[in-house]
Amino acid sequence: MDFELTEEQRMFRDMARKFAEQEILPTLKENERQEKFDSSIIKKMASQGLLAPHMPQEYGGLGLDYVTSAIIWEALCWASLAVTQAAMSGPIQPATNLLDAGSEQQKQKYLPPVCRGDLILSGAVVEPNAGSDSSMIETTAVRSGNHWVINGTKVFITNGEIADVVLFIAQTDKSKGLKGLASFIVERGTPGFSSKPQKGRISWRGGSEGSLRFIDIELPLENQVGETGRALRDALRGIDTARLFLAAGALGIAQSCLDASIKYAKERVQFGKPIGGHQLIQEIIAEMATKIEAARWLIYRAADLKSRGIRHIKEMSYAKYFATETALWITSQAVKIHGSFGTFDDYPVGHHYQDAITATILGGTTQMHQLTIGQQLLEMAAFR
Amino acid sequence: MDIIVCVKKIPDPEIPPAKFKLDMESKRVIPPEGIPPVINPYDEQAVELALRLKDKYGGKITVLTIDNDADTSIVKHALAMGADEGIVLADKAFEGSDSFSTSHILSQAIQKVGNFDLVLCGRQAADWDEGLVGAIIAENLSLPLVTLAEAVDVVDGKLKVKRVTLDGYQIFAVPTPAVATVSNEVGQPRLPSGWGIISASRKQIPIWKAGDLDADPSQIGAKAVRRRLVKLFIPVREKKCEIIEGETTAEASVKLAERLRKAGVI
Ligand SMILES: Cc1cc2nc3c(=O)[nH]c(=O)nc-3n(C[C@H](O)[C@H](O)[C@H](O)COP(=O)(O)OP(=O)(O)OC[C@H]3O[C@@H](n4cnc5c(N)ncnc54)[C@H](O)[C@@H]3O)c2cc1C
Ligand SMILES: Cc1cc2nc3c(=O)[nH]c(=O)nc-3n(C[C@H](O)[C@H](O)[C@H](O)COP(=O)(O)OP(=O)(O)OC[C@H]3O[C@@H](n4cnc5c(N)ncnc54)[C@H](O)[C@@H]3O)c2cc1C
């Protein structure tokens, strides 16, 4: 067992951190105030070689293992989890899904431009009435001659507003439940396709969410991805990858809050000494640091199993659930340590505090991960 | 255009003052725990300048470092930025070198690398700040030297080097091969790229020892040192606050001026 980062991992960590400082931080405050995602960051990440670390090189990624990729996420999210997630979400969930289930022609057509940052790809599963429970998906795909006719609505879709291409799941036969679900590709500009930004967020203000509307969209048969009935299973590895990176991102914001809190606690003097000299503050700092270390190793462990192709359902759920809930707690403590200053967006802690709550929701809510762990340990499902 | 860049590993200049410690006995800086050393920032800018020339004219960039720990990290950093080859020079015989011996070792290594149009050094190493090595290399190799280069271009087969001065700049036309030391006006060096990191971290970096160079044993290491460091210490800076009183602002101001004059400040 080797707990040291490799030289390559250290180099990626340092580079990604500098990139975040140079390219994400300077505009973060203004963008968040305007609830704006500046999509030019996607191209910048691509030319830096950061956009698709885990994707195979033959499709334009770096072909890195998942531990190294998670380390990159942690370093980027040190600046902003929302911006990193919006920038990299295409190459993660939907691209991984295409990689697993798409035809070679589909992969060649979409994956290289997505990894180069030339094409924005969204993955759309969630609907107004189907969140954690995908069996409730109401978007319909009806076979009519040599094409599919699609009707429905998708919500909370990362980059839904700006996506060039969307990989989505629809129901082909309601009576079949999950076995009726199938995946399809739709390109912007297809008649019947429209999108709207979803504004007014209290969290993830540097990120990008939109809703999609499909009205009598006609899709050629070759736009189906994978087989009918396998859509959720095909999406799993991509969702699993998204979970890993959200966990690593949560770790990044937690680390940033610890860094900021240590600095502030040394500088801020109250009652005659730096507040870091008060025992109650030290207790918080100690608890923050310990939880961060615990989260870090849960994440690396899950990532390592994933890289090696070993089953890791509960390990990934431990990591996602613990890292995001830990980040939620740590970011709130960090704001408290900063006092009223912490409630302004001039300090990094406020940005992270806002984003942390969302990290516990997307990529599977905390409860869904707890239920997954429970199911794995007890061999019975509590959510069906 | 083929370029050789000399890069030096130094303690991170961003070390918080509390962690900066000296061993006064051996007159050395004690490497701060947990803070890895970095490439000299001016040398990183020299690599950046070399890469700009490579982007424009093609060619090969070789980076050289003398590092007795045989640490390849800063060479790999330069490779990840886009340099092509890197060599680490390490030997017990180099121990205790000063600027002259350092330059002698580098000059021999440069000759061994061979084919080059330009040698770039940083304007100074940000630890000792002597700024001598580039100049001594030029002297050793009998090459033209331009210090404090901000930009280099090629015009009519000659190098056009823009040199920074206090309130402006000079332009020099220099035949190749030549030596230039690079100034911070070059601007921000590029970050290593993802592909660069992958290829650099998997690359075997050759380590050259004294025996691999045509080095004159009397010119290297402690015995070749031509000067002696007498004392190395961290100066103690005292801060004192004095309140100048006065019945009126005018009176206090006069007293303040007198006090400042006495202190030799005005
Ligand atoms: C920033 C952001 C980006 C997103 N991007 C995408 C995207 O690109 N594509 C996409 O498809 N979706 C996306 N989503 C949607 C996200 O995947 C869903 O919000 C998430 O899966 C949860 O669904 P829901 O919001 O409908 O909550 P619900 O499923 O309605 O859950 C509500 C609450 O009930 C709890 N709950 C539900 N079922 C159970 C149960 N059985 N037992 C106990 N508790 C339960 C949940 O844990 C939660 O606390 C995004 C969301 C956000 C915030
Ligand atoms: C093997 C070795 C042993 C040493 N032992 C001692 C010691 O025992 N006691 C002590 O006080 N000092 C020691 N030194 C430090 C030495 O005195 C200084 O490094 C030397 O005088 C150069 O001065 P400077 O660092 O100020 O470089 P400058 O002249 O300021 O450097 C200018 C430029 O020269 C190049 N350059 C400088 N050093 C190197 C290098 N090592 N490799 C590649 N390029 C370089 C860089 O481009 C740099 O920007 C040792 C150095 C070496 C290499």
Side-chain angles (χ1 to χ4, degrees):
Chain A
M1 226 189 312
D2 187 355
F3 288 97
E4 291 305 317
L5 300 192
T6 64
E7 180 169 46
E8 184 178 273
Q9 288 167 339
R10 287 199 305 271
M11 288 173 91
F12 269 109
R13 177 196 61 194
D14 296 348
M15 180 267 271
R17 168 68 175 272
K18 280 219 173 97
F19 178 88
E21 286 172 12
Q22 288 174 15
E23 303 294 346
I24 299 178
L25 275 188
T27 52
L28 182 65
K29 185 163 96 179
E30 272 321 305
N31 287 341
E32 281 187 348
R33 284 184 178 179
Q34 295 168 34
E35 203 178 349
K36 178 177 132 194
F37 170 62
D38 179 358
S39 60
S40 68
I41 192 75
I42 297 178
K43 279 239 176 249
K44 288 182 190 159
M45 280 190 181
S47 57
Q48 191 60 43
L50 283 173
L51 191 62
H54 65 291
M55 290 296 280
Q57 292 188 348
E58 55 180 311
Y59 297 113
L62 291 182
L64 294 177
D65 63 274
Y66 286 102
V67 178
T68 310
S69 303
I71 288 169
I72 291 175
W73 261 76
E74 180 187 336
L76 289 171
C77 295
W78 187 86
S80 168
L81 175 49
V83 173
T84 304
Q85 186 266 346
M88 292 171 77
S89 73
I92 296 169
Q93 194 267 326
T96 309
N97 192 348
L98 258 182
L99 185 69
D100 286 348
S103 66
E104 194 50 41
Q105 199 200 354
Q106 288 167 334
K107 291 193 240 185
Q108 290 296 349
K109 181 169 179 196
Y110 295 113
L111 294 181
V114 167
C115 294
R116 279 198 306 270
D118 290 339
L119 195 84
I120 299 180
L121 173 67
S122 285
V125 181
V126 169
E127 302 183 355
N129 294 321
S132 306
D133 181 3
S134 301
S135 71
M136 298 283 287
I137 285 177
E138 292 167 342
T139 294
T140 53
V142 178
R143 178 82 182 261
S144 158
N146 58 354
H147 57 255
W148 291 97
V149 178
I150 313 290
N151 279 287
T153 303
K154 297 286 177 185
V155 288
F156 311 129
I157 306 307
T158 304
N159 293 333
E161 175 196 354
I162 52 174
D164 302 302
V165 181
V166 178
L167 177 65
F168 66 93
I169 296 184
Q171 182 57 268
T172 62
D173 182 349
K174 201 169 168 45
S175 69
K176 289 189 180 155
L178 292 174
K179 294 227 149 43
L181 296 177
S183 296
F184 302 90
I185 291 171
V186 58
E187 296 187 5
R188 185 173 292 277
T190 306
F193 175 96
S194 63
S195 64
K196 267 205 312 223
Q198 284 181 278
K199 295 282 186 194
R201 293 192 299 272
I202 56 142
S203 170
W204 227 250
R205 291 177 63 84
S208 157
E209 273 173 276
S211 62
L212 309 174
R213 191 91 177 88
F214 307 147
I215 302 174
D216 290 331
I217 295 183
E218 289 190 12
L219 291 181
L221 296 184
E222 63 260 27
N223 280 34
Q224 183 173 352
V225 176
E227 291 165 28
T228 303
R230 286 189 53 97
L232 271 191
R233 190 179 301 185
D234 287 342
L236 260 181
R237 206 164 66 107
I239 293 172
D240 187 64
T241 306
R243 289 174 175 168
L244 170 66
F245 291 157
L246 284 163
L251 177 62
I253 69 175
Q255 182 68 53
S256 167
C257 282
L258 175 64
D259 296 346
S261 298
I262 289 175
K263 183 163 181 281
Y264 191 77
K266 284 179 169 174
E267 288 166 359
R268 175 72 173 173
V269 176
Q270 289 291 286
F271 297 100
K273 55 178 166 182
I275 58 168
H278 298 300
Q279 290 184 350
L280 289 175
I281 298 287
Q282 290 209 353
E283 185 196 355
I284 301 175
I285 299 277
E287 198 169 343
M288 280 179 164
T290 309
K291 285 185 164 161
I292 284 175
E293 278 302 292
R296 177 167 289 126
W297 295 108
L298 282 178
I299 292 166
Y300 291 179
R301 162 87 174 139
D304 182 52
L305 291 173
K306 186 172 166 70
S307 296
R308 292 194 278 143
I310 298 171
R311 196 179 146 88
H312 55 272
I313 297 176
K314 64 175 185 302
E315 287 81 0
M316 190 61 78
S317 285
Y318 296 151
K320 162 64 168 77
Y321 143 52
F322 186 75
T324 55
E325 289 294 338
T326 294
L328 185 57
W329 181 81
I330 287 179
T331 54
S332 68
Q333 296 302 313
V335 172
K336 290 184 194 172
I337 286 180
H338 283 70
S340 285
F341 292 109
T343 65
F344 286 81
D345 57 11
D346 294 318
Y347 286 88
V349 294
H351 306 259
H352 295 321
Y353 174 64
Q354 283 185 356
D355 286 350
I357 184 69
T358 294
T360 68
I361 296 171
L362 81 167
T365 65
T366 294
Q367 287 72 28
M368 294 320 292
H369 286 288
Q370 289 169 328
L371 290 170
T372 303
I373 296 166
Q375 183 189 23
Q376 293 291 311
L377 296 176
L378 297 159
E379 295 171 348
M380 44 183 142
F383 50 87
R384 277 197 202 106
Chain B
M1 181 159 39
D2 293 333
I3 304 170
I4 296 174
V5 188
C6 299
V7 298
K8 184 185 181 190
K9 183 176 84 178
I10 63 163
D12 192 337
E14 308 291 326
I15 302 174
K19 290 213 168 177
F20 184 77
K21 299 215 168 65
L22 296 178
D23 178 357
M24 305 217 350
E25 192 75 11
S26 69
K27 301 178 195 116
R28 281 174 188 265
V29 177
I30 301 168
E33 213 179 308
I35 304 177
V38 296
I39 181 171
N40 174 30
Y42 300 115
D43 298 350
E44 197 178 18
Q45 284 165 315
V47 174
E48 173 61 32
L49 188 60
L51 288 168
R52 287 180 197 168
L53 284 165
K54 181 181 158 182
D55 290 344
K56 201 161 169 190
Y57 300 107
K60 185 172 155 190
I61 300 172
T62 306
V63 291
L64 294 180
T65 192
I66 313 176
D67 184 276
N68 260 10
D69 304 327
D71 177 354
T72 57
S73 62
I74 65 158
V75 163
K76 287 190 172 179
H77 179 82
L79 294 178
M81 286 171 73
D84 300 280
E85 298 293 337
I87 298 151
V88 174
L89 309 158
D91 198 309
K92 272 221 161 327
F94 301 159
E95 205 59 58
S97 288
D98 67 1
S99 305
F100 283 95
S101 13
T102 298
S103 307
H104 182 74
I105 299 162
L106 287 171
S107 304
Q108 297 307 319
I110 289 165
Q111 282 175 312
K112 179 163 172 168
V113 171
N115 279 340
F116 62 91
D117 303 294
L118 179 62
V119 174
L120 293 177
C121 285
R123 60 178 284 176
Q124 67 208 61
D127 50 355
W128 293 106
D129 287 316
E130 298 203 56
L132 292 170
V133 169
I136 305 173
I137 290 173
E139 178 65 21
N140 287 347
L141 301 177
S142 303
L143 295 178
L145 166 75
V146 181
T147 56
L148 304 180
E150 175 185 346
V152 179
D153 210 340
V154 182
V155 177
D156 299 333
K158 282 192 172 156
L159 297 174
K160 187 178 127 189
V161 186
K162 183 174 176 190
R163 179 181 185 274
V164 182
T165 64
L166 199 56
D167 48 7
Y169 59 87
Q170 298 168 312
I171 303 275
F172 288 96
V174 195
T176 58
V179 179
T181 71
V182 174
S183 192
N184 47 308
E185 280 80 3
V186 160
Q188 198 167 51
R190 69 196 63 189
L191 293 175
S193 74
W195 304 277
I197 291 174
I198 290 175
S199 65
S201 62
R202 295 172 192 180
K203 200 168 172 132
Q204 277 294 335
I205 307 296
I207 312 279
W208 287 358
K209 306 186 75 86
D212 297 319
L213 303 174
D214 196 13
D216 176 350
S218 71
Q219 296 289 318
I220 58 176
K223 59 189 174 308
V225 168
R226 301 179 193 192
R227 50 177 196 190
R228 198 165 56 89
L229 180 64
V230 179
K231 190 175 174 192
L232 187 67
F233 64 99
I234 300 174
V236 185
R237 289 209 177 81
E238 270 181 54
K239 267 192 269 181
K240 245 180 13 192
C241 179
E242 218 176 292
I243 311 277
I244 309 283
E245 310 270 6
E247 287 291 313
T248 62
T249 317
E251 189 194 323
S253 306
V254 170
K255 281 193 184 162
L256 174 65
E258 283 168 353
R259 182 71 192 85
L260 288 175
R261 183 173 297 155
K262 202 171 142 212
V265 183
I266 55 173

